[in-house]
Structure formats: C-alpha cells, structure tokens
Amino acid sequence: MHFIVTLPELLMKYLMDPGKVTHLLNIVLFLKLKLYIKARQKNNLQLLLENINTVMERHSSDEVLETGSKCLQYLCSGETSLTSMCQIVLRSQVDLFVIKFLRAVDVVFRKESSHIEDDVYSMLSALRRVRAFYLYHDLSSWEIWEDLFLVLRSVSEREDIPEEIVVKTLQSCSMAVIFYYKNLNGKNPDLEEMKNMRLKLGFLMQSFQEYLFHDSDHIKEQAFLVICDLAIIFSPNIAEDNPLLTPIVFNVDTKLTSYLTEFLLMKVFVEDAEDTVSEAMKHKELTKRRNFLSSFAKLIVYKVIHIKAAAIIFKHYIKYSKEYGDIIKYTLTKARENNKVATSKTLAISLQQMFHELQAEQGDIQCSSPAFQAIKELGKKFALSFGPDAIKNRQAIAAIHIEGILFSLTPLENPDKGPDAAPPNITFLEILCEFTCKLIKQDRKNVLDYLDKMISKSKSHMKSDDWQPFFIYRNGLLQREESSSARRKHLEESSSPESSSETSYDLRTPSPQGLQPLTSTVSRPAYQDVDLSPITEIESITSE
C-alpha cells in the first residue's frame, strides 16, 4: 500500500536517473493490483501510468524502455475493472512512437531528406521503443511489418545508417514473425495466413543469412542469434506436435548450416583476448561466446540440423574444456539420447577433421608429435564418455570402429609414395586403438574380419614400416580376443576334476539332511538377459 501512494512521486523525483528509475519501475511488478480497487486508489494508478509514459519518453536506454514495457504488460494483464484504463494508456503510448517510426522511415528511405541526421536519430529513437514493446506486447495490429522489412533490406545499401538501427530492426522483425505464429489458430489455422507468414519468414531468414557476412561484428552476432532462435521455433518439431502447421515449417539447409559453423570458428573457438584487457571484459566476452555456442548446440539437441554438424563442437572438447566443457558434454549426452550410432559417427568425423588439419600442417604425420598425441587424447576422452556398459553401447562403439577403418584405408593406394606404400590415412588407426577396449568379444571378432576384408587385396605389399599402425590396431583386437580365450580356458581347466587335488572340499555350509542347499538371492547382472549374439552384418552400421 505504501508504494501505491508514493511510487508515482518517486518516479518524478528521480526522473533523470536511469538506474534509480529502472529499480523503481521494477517495484510495479510486485504491486497487488486489486488493492487499487479495494483502497480506491484509481487516481494513483492513473498517475502511475502517466509517469511511466513520461519516463519512457525521456529515456532511450534499453534497460529503462524494456522495464517500462514490462510494467505496462503487467498492469494490462490484471483481470480487474481498471485493466481497460491501462490498455488505453498502452495504446496511446504505442501510437505515439509508431507514428514517429513510420514518418521517419518514409523520410529516410522513400523521400530525400535535407536533415538526414535528425531523421535517422528520430527513426532510431522510435525503433528502440518498437523493439522494447515487441518483447512483451503484440504490435501486429499496428501493421508495421512492411516498414520494418523495408529498413532491413535497405540499410545494407546505406553507409549513413548506424548499426544500432540494423540490430534493432533484426530483433523487431524476428519478434514480429513470432507473434504472427502465436496468433495462428492451432486447431484450425487459416491456410492463407500460414502461406503469408511462411513467405515473410523465408524473406527474413534470407536477409539474416546475408547479415552473417556484414562488416560489423555486432550485426553478425545478432543475425546468428535470431537465426538460431527462429530455426528452433519453426523447426519440423512443430509439425510433429500439430500436423496442421506443416506449411510454416522452416528447414535449415546445408548451406545455412555451413554458415553457422563458420561463425562458430570465427567467434567462439578462438584464443582469449590480450592480457591488456581487463578481467571484467574477458568475462563478458566469454559469456557472449558461451551464448553463441549454446544457441548452436540447441539446434543439435532438438534435431533442427544434422548431428554431423556437431563435429565442429566435439573436436574442441579438450582444447576448450575450461571455457565450454559443460556445454559440449551436455550436447554430447543429449545427442546420444537422440541417436547413439549417428553420434558415434560424428565423433569419428571430428577426429578425422583434426587428423586432416594435422596432415595439412605436417604432411607426413609424426606419431610422436604433441599435436598427434592431442588427437589420441581426445579419442581417449570420447571412449571414456561411453561409460562402463559396453553392451548398452555396442552398436555405437562398433560404428566408430567401422567409420575409422573406412577412413584409414580409403583410398587404399598411395601412388605418391609408390605401389607398396601404405594408405595415406593409415596412421589414424593408432587413434582408433583408444576405442578397442570398449568392444565386446563378439563385436571385436566382427571388426577384425571387416578389417581383414578391407585389406585383403594388399596383403602381399604390407612389408614397409608405413603399415605399422595397421598391425598395432590389428594386434590390439587379436590380443584382447586371445586374452579372453585364455581366461576362459584357464577357468575350464581349474574347474575340471583332473586339475583338482585328490582331496575334495565342499565349500557350502553343511545343512541338515533333507533340506535343499541354499542358493544366492543376489540379482544377476543385467547383461545376462541381453542378446550377446555377434553383429553379423557389420557393414549395415555404415548405412544410415
């Protein structure tokens, strides 16, 4: 009750202080609106609304405008007899800045202005309010889409337009499309409305794609974020939940996916700033990069783009573990929940990409080099991520071996080094050795057969030292197979009557005659009920 009376006065008292005004506006969100009726404080509510409008007219900072917009949304959402009064004030405020925006757009882009700087500033001031109100209010009824899109398409050709206008327009256009989607009748959507909205979405995404290559870093970053957000909102998932919304689905093609991955390489997986930069700035920059990576990771998790696009993330797991390790680990976990085999193939692709980069740098790869050992370390981390349950992940583990063998032995010939030379990627098999321990016995034999089948035509030429990685990998498979057989043979011999001593001992606790011997009630391991049959068609793992 105290702030119902005093808040309007406090807003005027600290009108010119953005920080204090923002804190005072936040108090509005905790007011009990029904008290305005019970305590007959209608005049104070009217005064509060007028003062909020005054604050939003005087200030242009995003923080003040967004908080003021949120306050009006809260006051208009209450189910009281005073709600209509709040809505009238809201409409008058929106009318005011929409008129200014439309007038400024008309002068700057449709007519020749003699005072271009004043008109551009007027448009920027109005755009700040458009963007702030779009965060909490549906402005579709004011029909400003055409003008917003005109600004979006025209500013790239104008050097006299500040980048903040571009950023605010990007954000406003994306929110406008979201409100068009929100206003659709989910139970019986109008087909013509969906076609128009999908057309707007297509034009919008095409424009955002172009802004990914803008000279301004800030514009690039905003374009990346809104593309990721809209791609998730209009992903095929909405059609799965409601098939009637299929016409508005937006599919991210391989071209756009490549643009997004290039952005990550330029903006996320980069070295830290110089030592001269303050810790506060470094922290702010890291937070921004993590936001970029999270936005892209969501596209993977929600299956908006193909899992193979995540290779660029996974290959930086160790190098950037401190900065993004939690995000990468979560992405890997969720990707496995979606498709274990496809995720394993993506892990193989990430290792192959690093291998190719090392080849381009070194030519003939030196297995003792720190760079090669770093790839092996990444392979070990990937292997550990499968956990101890090899039965549960057998298809996924087999898939990574098959992908690795195909990569290592393709092409099989190496004409640059002679007819007897090993394949150019043969060294990759040393990295693949890190996953051998995860194969169960049945799959190990099948992988070994597949390896021999791939190399059967070149057995007569496998004499040079270049083939050493092949024998290391193959012996790793054989040794584990032989060690399993040796252990089994040892157990059989130790349990046979011939191997026991002449005196036999009954290790069971003696029990009275007539009673059945007690058996353990401990639960059997879960894998006893799992099908352990070999993967006979191991080539099928490679097809997807």
Side-chain angles (χ1 to χ4, degrees), residues 67-143:
T67 309
S69 174
K70 189 175 183 180
C71 288
L72 290 175
Q73 187 267 344
Y74 174 73
L75 294 172
C76 293
S77 62
E79 297 179 359
T80 66
S81 58
L82 302 177
T83 302
S84 59
M85 182 177 70
C86 300
Q87 291 175 346
I88 291 172
V89 174
L90 170 65
R91 292 193 194 99
S92 64
Q93 176 71 10
V94 176
D95 287 339
L96 186 64
F97 66 72
V98 164
I99 291 172
K100 290 182 180 179
F101 170 69
L102 297 178
R103 184 181 300 153
V105 170
D106 191 52
V107 172
V108 174
F109 294 104
R110 295 192 179 98
K111 300 177 182 178
E112 294 184 2
S113 173
S114 57
H115 304 283
I116 186 66
E117 293 183 2
D118 295 338
D119 294 320
V120 168
Y121 178 79
S122 177
M123 181 170 64
L124 175 57
S125 177
L127 259 176
R128 287 171 177 163
R129 287 158 176 77
V130 170
R131 181 254 179 191
F133 272 78
Y134 251 134
L135 288 173
Y136 301 101
H137 307 274
D138 181 9
L139 306 184
S140 303
S141 58
W142 277 267
E143 298 180 353

Coordinates of all heavy atoms in Angstrom, one line a residue, residues 67-143:
T67 N 12.1 -2.3 -19.2 CA 11.4 -2.4 -17.9 C 10.1 -1.7 -17.9 O 9.1 -2.2 -17.4 CB 12.3 -1.8 -16.8 OG1 13.6 -2.3 -16.8 CG2 11.7 -2.1 -15.4
G68 N 10.0 -0.5 -18.5 CA 8.7 0.2 -18.7 C 7.7 -0.6 -19.5 O 6.5 -0.7 -19.1
S69 N 8.2 -1.3 -20.6 CA 7.3 -2.1 -21.4 C 6.8 -3.3 -20.5 O 5.6 -3.6 -20.6 CB 8.0 -2.6 -22.6 OG 7.3 -3.5 -23.3
K70 N 7.6 -3.9 -19.7 CA 7.2 -5.0 -18.9 C 6.2 -4.5 -17.8 O 5.3 -5.3 -17.5 CB 8.5 -5.6 -18.2 CG 8.2 -6.9 -17.5 CD 9.5 -7.5 -17.0 CE 9.2 -8.8 -16.3 NZ 10.5 -9.4 -15.8
C71 N 6.4 -3.3 -17.3 CA 5.4 -2.8 -16.3 C 4.0 -2.6 -16.9 O 3.0 -3.0 -16.3 CB 5.9 -1.4 -15.8 SG 7.3 -1.6 -14.7
L72 N 4.0 -2.1 -18.1 CA 2.7 -1.9 -18.8 C 2.0 -3.2 -19.1 O 0.8 -3.3 -19.0 CB 2.9 -1.1 -20.1 CG 3.3 0.4 -19.9 CD1 3.5 1.1 -21.2 CD2 2.2 1.2 -19.1
Q73 N 2.9 -4.2 -19.5 CA 2.3 -5.5 -19.7 C 1.7 -6.1 -18.4 O 0.6 -6.7 -18.5 CB 3.4 -6.5 -20.3 CG 2.9 -7.8 -20.7 CD 3.0 -8.9 -19.6 OE1 3.7 -8.7 -18.6 NE2 2.3 -10.0 -19.8
Y74 N 2.4 -5.9 -17.3 CA 1.9 -6.4 -16.0 C 0.6 -5.7 -15.6 O -0.4 -6.3 -15.2 CB 2.9 -6.2 -15.0 CG 2.5 -6.6 -13.6 CD1 2.3 -7.9 -13.2 CD2 2.2 -5.6 -12.6 CE1 1.8 -8.2 -11.9 CE2 1.8 -5.9 -11.4 CZ 1.6 -7.2 -11.0 OH 1.2 -7.5 -9.7
L75 N 0.5 -4.4 -15.8 CA -0.7 -3.6 -15.4 C -1.9 -3.9 -16.3 O -3.0 -3.9 -15.9 CB -0.3 -2.1 -15.5 CG 0.7 -1.6 -14.4 CD1 1.0 -0.2 -14.7 CD2 0.1 -1.8 -13.0
C76 N -1.6 -4.3 -17.6 CA -2.7 -4.6 -18.5 C -3.2 -6.0 -18.4 O -4.2 -6.3 -19.0 CB -2.2 -4.3 -20.0 SG -1.9 -2.5 -20.3
S77 N -2.4 -6.9 -17.8 CA -2.7 -8.3 -17.8 C -3.7 -8.6 -16.6 O -4.2 -9.7 -16.5 CB -1.5 -9.1 -17.7 OG -0.8 -8.8 -16.5
G78 N -3.8 -7.7 -15.6 CA -4.6 -8.0 -14.5 C -6.1 -8.0 -14.8 O -6.6 -7.2 -15.6
E79 N -6.8 -9.0 -14.2 CA -8.3 -9.1 -14.5 C -9.1 -8.3 -13.5 O -9.7 -8.8 -12.6 CB -8.6 -10.6 -14.4 CG -8.0 -11.4 -15.5 CD -8.4 -12.9 -15.4 OE1 -9.2 -13.2 -14.4 OE2 -7.9 -13.7 -16.2
T80 N -9.0 -7.0 -13.7 CA -9.7 -6.0 -12.8 C -10.5 -5.1 -13.7 O -10.3 -5.0 -14.9 CB -8.7 -5.3 -11.9 OG1 -7.9 -4.4 -12.7 CG2 -7.8 -6.2 -11.2
S81 N -11.3 -4.3 -13.0 CA -12.1 -3.3 -13.8 C -11.3 -2.2 -14.3 O -11.7 -1.4 -15.1 CB -13.2 -2.8 -12.9 OG -12.7 -2.2 -11.7
L82 N -10.0 -2.0 -13.8 CA -9.1 -1.0 -14.2 C -8.2 -1.4 -15.4 O -7.4 -0.5 -15.8 CB -8.3 -0.5 -13.0 CG -9.0 -0.1 -11.7 CD1 -8.0 0.3 -10.6 CD2 -9.9 1.2 -12.1
T83 N -8.3 -2.6 -15.8 CA -7.5 -3.1 -16.9 C -7.7 -2.3 -18.2 O -6.7 -1.9 -18.9 CB -7.7 -4.6 -17.2 OG1 -7.5 -5.3 -16.0 CG2 -6.8 -5.1 -18.3
S84 N -8.9 -2.0 -18.5 CA -9.2 -1.2 -19.7 C -8.5 0.2 -19.7 O -8.1 0.7 -20.7 CB -10.7 -1.1 -19.9 OG -11.3 -0.4 -18.7
M85 N -8.5 0.8 -18.5 CA -7.8 2.1 -18.4 C -6.3 1.9 -18.7 O -5.7 2.8 -19.4 CB -8.0 2.6 -17.0 CG -7.3 4.0 -16.7 SD -7.7 4.6 -15.1 CE -6.7 3.5 -14.1
C86 N -5.7 0.9 -18.2 CA -4.3 0.6 -18.5 C -4.0 0.4 -20.0 O -3.0 0.8 -20.6 CB -3.8 -0.6 -17.7 SG -3.9 -0.4 -15.9
Q87 N -5.0 -0.4 -20.6 CA -4.8 -0.7 -22.0 C -4.9 0.6 -22.9 O -4.3 0.7 -23.9 CB -5.8 -1.7 -22.4 CG -5.6 -3.1 -21.8 CD -6.7 -4.1 -22.1 OE1 -7.8 -3.7 -22.6 NE2 -6.4 -5.4 -21.9
I88 N -5.8 1.5 -22.5 CA -5.9 2.8 -23.2 C -4.6 3.5 -23.2 O -4.1 4.1 -24.2 CB -7.1 3.6 -22.7 CG1 -8.4 2.9 -22.9 CG2 -7.0 5.0 -23.2 CD1 -9.6 3.6 -22.2
V89 N -4.0 3.6 -22.0 CA -2.7 4.3 -21.9 C -1.6 3.6 -22.7 O -0.8 4.2 -23.4 CB -2.3 4.3 -20.4 CG1 -0.9 4.9 -20.3 CG2 -3.3 5.1 -19.6
L90 N -1.6 2.2 -22.7 CA -0.7 1.5 -23.5 C -0.8 1.8 -25.0 O 0.2 2.0 -25.7 CB -0.9 0.0 -23.3 CG -0.1 -1.0 -24.2 CD1 1.4 -0.8 -24.0 CD2 -0.5 -2.4 -24.0
R91 N -2.1 1.8 -25.5 CA -2.3 2.0 -27.0 C -1.8 3.4 -27.3 O -1.3 3.6 -28.4 CB -3.8 1.8 -27.3 CG -4.3 0.4 -27.2 CD -5.6 0.2 -27.8 NE -6.2 -1.0 -27.4 CZ -7.1 -1.2 -26.5 NH1 -7.5 -0.2 -25.8 NH2 -7.6 -2.4 -26.2
S92 N -2.1 4.4 -26.5 CA -1.7 5.8 -26.8 C -0.2 5.9 -26.8 O 0.4 6.6 -27.7 CB -2.3 6.7 -25.7 OG -1.7 6.5 -24.4
Q93 N 0.5 5.2 -26.0 CA 2.0 5.2 -26.0 C 2.5 4.5 -27.2 O 3.4 5.1 -27.9 CB 2.5 4.4 -24.7 CG 4.0 4.3 -24.7 CD 4.7 5.6 -24.4 OE1 4.1 6.6 -24.0 NE2 6.0 5.6 -24.5
V94 N 1.9 3.4 -27.6 CA 2.4 2.7 -28.9 C 2.1 3.6 -30.1 O 2.9 3.7 -31.0 CB 1.7 1.3 -29.0 CG1 2.1 0.7 -30.3 CG2 2.1 0.4 -27.8
D95 N 0.9 4.1 -30.1 CA 0.5 5.0 -31.3 C 1.5 6.1 -31.5 O 1.9 6.4 -32.6 CB -0.9 5.7 -31.0 CG -2.0 4.7 -31.2 OD1 -1.8 3.6 -31.9 OD2 -3.1 4.9 -30.7
L96 N 2.0 6.7 -30.4 CA 2.9 7.8 -30.4 C 4.2 7.4 -31.1 O 4.7 8.1 -32.0 CB 3.2 8.3 -29.0 CG 4.0 9.6 -28.9 CD1 3.3 10.8 -29.5 CD2 4.3 9.9 -27.4
F97 N 4.9 6.3 -30.7 CA 6.2 6.0 -31.3 C 6.0 5.3 -32.6 O 6.9 5.3 -33.4 CB 7.1 5.2 -30.3 CG 6.6 3.8 -29.9 CD1 6.7 2.8 -30.8 CD2 6.1 3.6 -28.7 CE1 6.2 1.5 -30.5 CE2 5.7 2.3 -28.3 CZ 5.8 1.2 -29.2
V98 N 4.9 4.6 -32.9 CA 4.7 4.0 -34.2 C 4.6 5.1 -35.3 O 5.1 5.0 -36.4 CB 3.5 3.1 -34.2 CG1 3.0 2.8 -35.6 CG2 3.8 1.8 -33.4
I99 N 3.8 6.2 -34.9 CA 3.7 7.3 -35.9 C 5.1 7.9 -36.2 O 5.4 8.2 -37.3 CB 2.7 8.3 -35.3 CG1 1.3 7.8 -35.3 CG2 2.8 9.6 -36.2 CD1 0.3 8.7 -34.6
K100 N 5.9 8.1 -35.2 CA 7.2 8.6 -35.3 C 8.1 7.7 -36.2 O 8.8 8.2 -37.1 CB 7.9 8.9 -34.0 CG 7.3 10.0 -33.2 CD 8.0 10.2 -31.9 CE 7.4 11.3 -31.0 NZ 8.1 11.5 -29.7
F101 N 8.0 6.4 -36.0 CA 8.7 5.5 -36.7 C 8.3 5.5 -38.2 O 9.2 5.5 -39.1 CB 8.6 4.1 -36.1 CG 9.2 3.0 -37.0 CD1 10.5 2.8 -37.1 CD2 8.3 2.1 -37.6 CE1 11.1 1.8 -37.9 CE2 8.8 1.0 -38.4 CZ 10.2 0.9 -38.6
L102 N 7.0 5.4 -38.5 CA 6.6 5.4 -39.9 C 7.0 6.7 -40.6 O 7.4 6.6 -41.8 CB 5.1 5.2 -39.9 CG 4.5 3.8 -39.3 CD1 3.0 3.8 -39.4 CD2 5.1 2.7 -40.1
R103 N 6.9 7.8 -39.9 CA 7.2 9.0 -40.6 C 8.7 9.1 -40.9 O 9.1 9.5 -41.9 CB 6.8 10.2 -39.6 CG 7.1 11.6 -40.2 CD 6.7 12.6 -39.2 NE 5.3 12.5 -38.8 CZ 4.8 12.9 -37.6 NH1 5.7 13.4 -36.7 NH2 3.6 12.8 -37.3
A104 N 9.5 8.6 -39.9 CA 11.0 8.6 -40.1 C 11.4 7.7 -41.3 O 12.3 8.0 -42.1 CB 11.7 8.2 -38.8
V105 N 10.8 6.5 -41.3 CA 11.1 5.5 -42.4 C 10.7 6.1 -43.8 O 11.4 6.0 -44.8 CB 10.3 4.2 -42.2 CG1 10.5 3.3 -43.4 CG2 10.9 3.5 -41.0
D106 N 9.6 6.8 -43.8 CA 9.1 7.4 -45.1 C 10.1 8.5 -45.6 O 10.4 8.6 -46.7 CB 7.7 8.0 -44.9 CG 7.1 8.4 -46.2 OD1 7.0 7.6 -47.1 OD2 6.6 9.6 -46.3
V107 N 10.6 9.3 -44.6 CA 11.5 10.3 -45.0 C 12.9 9.8 -45.4 O 13.5 10.2 -46.4 CB 11.6 11.4 -43.8 CG1 12.7 12.4 -44.1 CG2 10.3 12.1 -43.6
V108 N 13.4 8.9 -44.6 CA 14.8 8.4 -44.8 C 14.9 7.5 -46.0 O 15.8 7.6 -46.8 CB 15.3 7.6 -43.6 CG1 16.6 7.0 -43.8 CG2 15.4 8.6 -42.4
F109 N 13.9 6.6 -46.3 CA 14.0 5.6 -47.3 C 13.1 5.8 -48.5 O 13.4 5.2 -49.6 CB 13.7 4.2 -46.7 CG 14.7 3.8 -45.7 CD1 14.4 3.8 -44.4 CD2 16.0 3.3 -46.1 CE1 15.3 3.4 -43.4 CE2 16.9 2.9 -45.1 CZ 16.6 3.0 -43.8
R110 N 12.1 6.6 -48.4 CA 11.2 6.8 -49.6 C 11.3 8.2 -50.1 O 10.9 8.4 -51.3 CB 9.8 6.6 -49.1 CG 9.5 5.1 -48.7 CD 8.0 4.9 -48.6 NE 7.7 3.5 -48.3 CZ 7.4 3.1 -47.1 NH1 7.4 3.9 -46.1 NH2 7.1 1.8 -46.8
K111 N 11.8 9.2 -49.4 CA 12.0 10.5 -49.9 C 13.4 11.0 -49.6 O 14.1 10.4 -48.8 CB 11.0 11.4 -49.2 CG 9.5 11.1 -49.4 CD 8.6 12.0 -48.6 CE 7.1 11.6 -48.8 NZ 6.2 12.4 -48.0
E112 N 13.7 12.1 -50.2 CA 15.0 12.7 -50.0 C 14.9 13.7 -48.8 O 14.1 14.6 -48.8 CB 15.5 13.5 -51.2 CG 15.9 12.5 -52.4 CD 16.5 13.3 -53.5 OE1 16.7 14.5 -53.4 OE2 16.7 12.6 -54.6
S113 N 15.8 13.5 -47.8 CA 15.7 14.4 -46.6 C 16.8 15.4 -46.6 O 18.0 15.0 -46.9 CB 15.8 13.5 -45.4 OG 15.9 14.3 -44.2
S114 N 16.5 16.6 -46.3 CA 17.6 17.6 -46.2 C 18.2 17.6 -44.8 O 19.3 18.2 -44.6 CB 16.9 19.0 -46.4 OG 15.9 19.2 -45.5
H115 N 17.6 17.0 -43.8 CA 18.2 16.8 -42.5 C 18.2 15.4 -42.1 O 17.6 14.9 -41.2 CB 17.3 17.6 -41.5 CG 17.1 19.1 -41.8 ND1 18.1 20.0 -41.6 CD2 16.1 19.7 -42.4 CE1 17.7 21.2 -42.0 NE2 16.4 21.0 -42.5
I116 N 19.1 14.6 -42.9 CA 19.1 13.2 -42.8 C 19.5 12.7 -41.4 O 19.0 11.8 -40.8 CB 20.1 12.6 -43.8 CG1 20.0 11.0 -43.8 CG2 21.5 13.1 -43.6 CD1 18.7 10.5 -44.2
E117 N 20.4 13.4 -40.7 CA 20.9 13.0 -39.4 C 19.8 13.1 -38.4 O 19.6 12.2 -37.5 CB 22.1 13.9 -38.9 CG 23.3 13.7 -39.8 CD 24.5 14.5 -39.3 OE1 24.3 15.2 -38.2 OE2 25.6 14.5 -39.8
D118 N 19.0 14.2 -38.4 CA 17.8 14.3 -37.5 C 16.8 13.2 -37.7 O 16.2 12.6 -36.8 CB 17.2 15.7 -37.6 CG 18.1 16.8 -37.2 OD1 19.1 16.5 -36.4 OD2 17.9 17.9 -37.7
D119 N 16.5 12.9 -39.0 CA 15.5 11.9 -39.3 C 16.0 10.5 -38.9 O 15.2 9.7 -38.4 CB 15.2 11.9 -40.8 CG 14.5 13.2 -41.2 OD1 13.7 13.7 -40.4 OD2 14.8 13.8 -42.2
V120 N 17.3 10.2 -39.1 CA 17.9 8.9 -38.7 C 17.8 8.8 -37.2 O 17.5 7.7 -36.7 CB 19.3 8.8 -39.2 CG1 20.0 7.6 -38.5 CG2 19.3 8.6 -40.7
Y121 N 18.1 9.8 -36.5 CA 18.0 9.8 -35.0 C 16.6 9.5 -34.5 O 16.3 8.8 -33.6 CB 18.6 11.0 -34.4 CG 18.5 11.0 -32.9 CD1 19.4 10.4 -32.1 CD2 17.4 11.7 -32.2 CE1 19.3 10.3 -30.7 CE2 17.3 11.7 -30.8 CZ 18.2 11.0 -30.1 OH 18.1 11.0 -28.7
S122 N 15.7 10.2 -35.2 CA 14.2 10.0 -34.9 C 13.8 8.6 -35.1 O 13.1 8.0 -34.3 CB 13.4 11.0 -35.7 OG 12.0 10.8 -35.4
M123 N 14.3 8.0 -36.2 CA 13.9 6.6 -36.5 C 14.6 5.7 -35.5 O 13.9 4.7 -35.0 CB 14.4 6.2 -37.9 CG 14.1 4.8 -38.3 SD 14.4 4.5 -40.1 CE 16.1 4.7 -40.1
L124 N 15.8 5.9 -35.1 CA 16.5 5.1 -34.1 C 15.7 5.2 -32.8 O 15.5 4.1 -32.1 CB 17.9 5.5 -33.9 CG 18.7 4.8 -32.8 CD1 18.7 3.3 -33.0 CD2 20.1 5.4 -32.8
S125 N 15.3 6.4 -32.3 CA 14.6 6.5 -31.1 C 13.3 5.7 -31.1 O 12.9 5.1 -30.1 CB 14.3 8.0 -30.9 OG 13.6 8.2 -29.7
A126 N 12.6 5.8 -32.2 CA 11.3 5.1 -32.3 C 11.6 3.6 -32.4 O 10.8 2.8 -31.8 CB 10.6 5.5 -33.6
L127 N 12.7 3.1 -33.1 CA 13.0 1.7 -33.2 C 13.3 1.1 -31.8 O 13.0 -0.1 -31.6 CB 14.1 1.5 -34.2 CG 13.8 1.0 -35.6 CD1 15.0 1.0 -36.4 CD2 13.1 -0.3 -35.6
R128 N 14.0 1.9 -31.0 CA 14.3 1.4 -29.7 C 13.0 1.0 -28.9 O 12.9 0.0 -28.2 CB 15.1 2.4 -28.9 CG 16.5 2.6 -29.3 CD 17.2 3.8 -28.7 NE 18.6 3.9 -29.1 CZ 19.3 5.0 -28.9 NH1 18.7 6.1 -28.4 NH2 20.6 5.0 -29.3
R129 N 12.0 1.8 -29.1 CA 10.7 1.6 -28.4 C 9.9 0.5 -29.1 O 9.3 -0.3 -28.4 CB 9.9 2.9 -28.4 CG 10.5 3.9 -27.4 CD 10.1 5.4 -27.7 NE 10.6 6.3 -26.7 CZ 11.9 6.6 -26.6 NH1 12.8 6.3 -27.5 NH2 12.2 7.4 -25.6
V130 N 10.0 0.4 -30.4 CA 9.4 -0.7 -31.1 C 9.9 -2.1 -30.6 O 9.2 -3.0 -30.2 CB 9.6 -0.6 -32.6 CG1 9.1 -1.9 -33.3 CG2 8.8 0.6 -33.2
R131 N 11.2 -2.1 -30.5 CA 11.9 -3.4 -30.1 C 11.5 -3.7 -28.6 O 11.2 -4.8 -28.2 CB 13.4 -3.2 -30.2 CG 14.2 -4.4 -29.8 CD 14.9 -4.2 -28.6 NE 15.6 -5.3 -28.1 CZ 16.2 -5.4 -26.9 NH1 16.0 -4.4 -26.1 NH2 16.9 -6.5 -26.6
A132 N 11.5 -2.6 -27.7 CA 11.3 -2.8 -26.3 C 9.8 -3.3 -26.1 O 9.6 -4.2 -25.3 CB 11.5 -1.5 -25.5
F133 N 8.9 -2.7 -26.8 CA 7.5 -3.1 -26.7 C 7.2 -4.5 -27.3 O 6.3 -5.3 -26.8 CB 6.5 -2.1 -27.3 CG 6.2 -1.0 -26.3 CD1 7.1 0.0 -26.0 CD2 5.0 -1.0 -25.6 CE1 6.8 1.0 -25.1 CE2 4.7 0.0 -24.7 CZ 5.6 1.0 -24.5
Y134 N 7.9 -4.8 -28.4 CA 7.7 -6.2 -29.0 C 8.1 -7.3 -28.1 O 7.7 -8.4 -28.2 CB 8.6 -6.3 -30.3 CG 7.7 -6.3 -31.6 CD1 8.0 -5.5 -32.6 CD2 6.6 -7.1 -31.6 CE1 7.2 -5.5 -33.8 CE2 5.8 -7.1 -32.8 CZ 6.1 -6.3 -33.9 OH 5.3 -6.3 -35.0
L135 N 9.0 -7.0 -27.1 CA 9.4 -8.0 -26.1 C 8.2 -8.5 -25.3 O 8.2 -9.7 -24.9 CB 10.5 -7.5 -25.2 CG 11.9 -7.3 -25.8 CD1 12.8 -6.6 -24.8 CD2 12.5 -8.6 -26.2
Y136 N 7.2 -7.7 -25.0 CA 6.1 -8.0 -24.1 C 4.7 -7.8 -24.7 O 3.7 -8.1 -24.1 CB 6.3 -7.2 -22.8 CG 7.6 -7.4 -22.1 CD1 8.6 -6.5 -22.2 CD2 7.8 -8.6 -21.4 CE1 9.8 -6.7 -21.6 CE2 9.0 -8.8 -20.7 CZ 10.0 -7.9 -20.8 OH 11.2 -8.1 -20.2
H137 N 4.7 -7.2 -25.9 CA 3.3 -6.8 -26.5 C 3.3 -7.2 -27.9 O 4.3 -7.2 -28.6 CB 3.1 -5.3 -26.3 CG 3.2 -4.8 -24.9 ND1 2.2 -4.8 -24.0 CD2 4.3 -4.2 -24.3 CE1 2.7 -4.3 -22.9 NE2 3.9 -3.9 -23.0
D138 N 2.1 -7.6 -28.4 CA 1.9 -7.9 -29.8 C 1.5 -6.6 -30.5 O 0.4 -6.0 -30.3 CB 0.7 -8.9 -29.9 CG 0.5 -9.3 -31.3 OD1 1.3 -8.9 -32.2 OD2 -0.5 -10.0 -31.6
L139 N 2.4 -6.2 -31.4 CA 2.2 -5.0 -32.2 C 1.6 -5.2 -33.6 O 1.7 -4.4 -34.5 CB 3.5 -4.1 -32.3 CG 4.2 -3.8 -31.0 CD1 5.4 -2.9 -31.2 CD2 3.2 -3.1 -30.0
S140 N 1.1 -6.4 -33.8 CA 0.7 -6.8 -35.2 C -0.4 -5.9 -35.7 O -0.5 -5.6 -36.9 CB 0.2 -8.3 -35.2 OG 1.2 -9.2 -34.7
S141 N -1.3 -5.5 -34.8 CA -2.4 -4.7 -35.2 C -2.0 -3.3 -35.7 O -2.8 -2.6 -36.4 CB -3.4 -4.5 -34.1 OG -2.8 -3.9 -33.0
W142 N -0.8 -2.9 -35.4 CA -0.3 -1.6 -35.9 C 0.3 -1.7 -37.3 O 0.6 -0.7 -37.9 CB 0.7 -1.0 -35.0 CG 0.1 -0.3 -33.8 CD1 -0.2 1.1 -33.7 CD2 -0.3 -0.8 -32.6 NE1 -0.8 1.4 -32.5 CE2 -0.9 0.2 -31.8 CE3 -0.3 -2.1 -32.0 CZ2 -1.4 0.0 -30.5 CZ3 -0.9 -2.3 -30.8 CH2 -1.4 -1.3 -30.0
E143 N 0.5 -2.9 -37.8 CA 0.9 -3.2 -39.2 C 2.1 -2.4 -39.6 O 2.1 -1.6 -40.6 CB -0.3 -2.8 -40.2 CG -1.5 -3.7 -40.0 CD -2.6 -3.3 -40.9 OE1 -2.5 -2.3 -41.7 OE2 -3.7 -4.0 -40.9

